Amino acid sequence: MPADLTTAAAWDAELRLIVGFVLGYVVILATPGPNMLAVAGIASLHGVRGAAPFCAGVALGAGALGAALLFAIGAAADAVRNWDAAARAVGALLLLCIAVAIARTRPPAVDEGTATGRIRPGAAAGCLAALGAGFCTAATNPTTGAFFASQFLGPLGGAAHGEAVTAVVTLIAVVATALAFFLTVAAVLSLPAPRRAALAWHRPIRVAAATALVLMAAATAWSCLSCG
């Protein structure tokens, strides 16, 4: 019975970490950037159905990026001793860098005639092209990559240290969160008024996102000092 209680407590702690990770990821997704603008452009011309392949590509690309970083960080962790404190310090620094980058981001210019807006949703080739474009965009997104690395080096270090269940649940959460978020964005920003409002609120959104990331960095740094 005590062993069962210990296991339940461990799972509860892991679940809390994953929930915190997902909330932080939503902050990253909610910051207006190339992905959101592309989804808005496609949705404004073709609706949610037309934007769905691109949204799916973004979700799969984010999952692939997360998997690659988990593998790379896990391999590095196996090769380096006394890893935990240094990894958390690097994770906190990455979060601060992301916060600065987001705070300095300029509002995107709206151009509904871009190449992403010309993707035709009816043809299979167009759907595959949108899927591939979304995948490549997300898989090479430096902001997302830095956020994932900060979490896998810090709070979710267990996922990179060979805890397979935590790693799988985390990656599933990444794909599901990105897909649900961008489908919602496509539905909302397919309408002109919400799209204009999103641009008008660009500065408050990025300031709020940067503040949330600074707080996450402070929490990571505090856990680093605690474990030291």
Side-chain angles (χ1 to χ4, degrees):
M1 191 67 177
D4 293 338
L5 292 176
T6 301
T7 302
W11 269 111
D12 182 65
E14 288 294 320
L15 183 60
R16 289 175 183 272
L17 290 175
I18 293 173
V19 170
F21 166 78
V22 169
L23 292 176
Y25 184 39
V26 170
V27 170
I28 297 294
L29 293 175
T31 305
N35 286 344
M36 188 178 293
L37 189 61
V39 170
I42 299 172
S44 66
L45 295 177
H46 305 301
V48 179
R49 185 176 179 181
F54 186 87
C55 295
V58 169
L60 293 175
L65 177 60
L69 286 171
L70 273 176
F71 177 80
I73 292 172
D78 291 339
V80 179
R81 295 183 178 180
N82 300 322
W83 168 266
D84 192 57
R88 288 175 181 268
V90 172
L93 181 60
L94 284 173
L95 284 173
L96 287 176
C97 290
I98 301 170
V100 172
I102 287 177
R104 297 179 62 185
T105 302
R106 294 181 179 180
V110 178
D111 181 8
E112 294 180 356
T114 58
T116 52
R118 292 198 296 267
I119 295 174
R120 296 182 179 276
C127 290
L128 289 176
L131 183 72
F135 182 92
C136 293
T137 300
T140 57
N141 189 313
T143 302
T144 303
F147 174 74
F148 286 172
S150 72
Q151 296 301 289
F152 299 153
L153 288 168
L156 281 174
H161 282 71
E163 295 181 10
V165 176
T166 302
V168 170
V169 172
T170 300
L171 293 177
I172 292 175
V174 165
V175 175
T177 300
L179 181 60
F181 180 85
F182 281 113
L183 286 176
T184 302
V185 167
V188 174
L189 297 188
S190 61
L191 304 174
R195 192 162 59 249
R196 288 194 298 269
L199 290 174
W201 281 81
H202 179 269
R203 182 174 182 178
I205 290 173
R206 62 184 171 83
V207 170
T211 302
L213 291 171
V214 168
L215 293 175
M216 290 183 68
T220 302
W222 178 258
S223 68
C224 172
L225 293 175
S226 300
C227 72

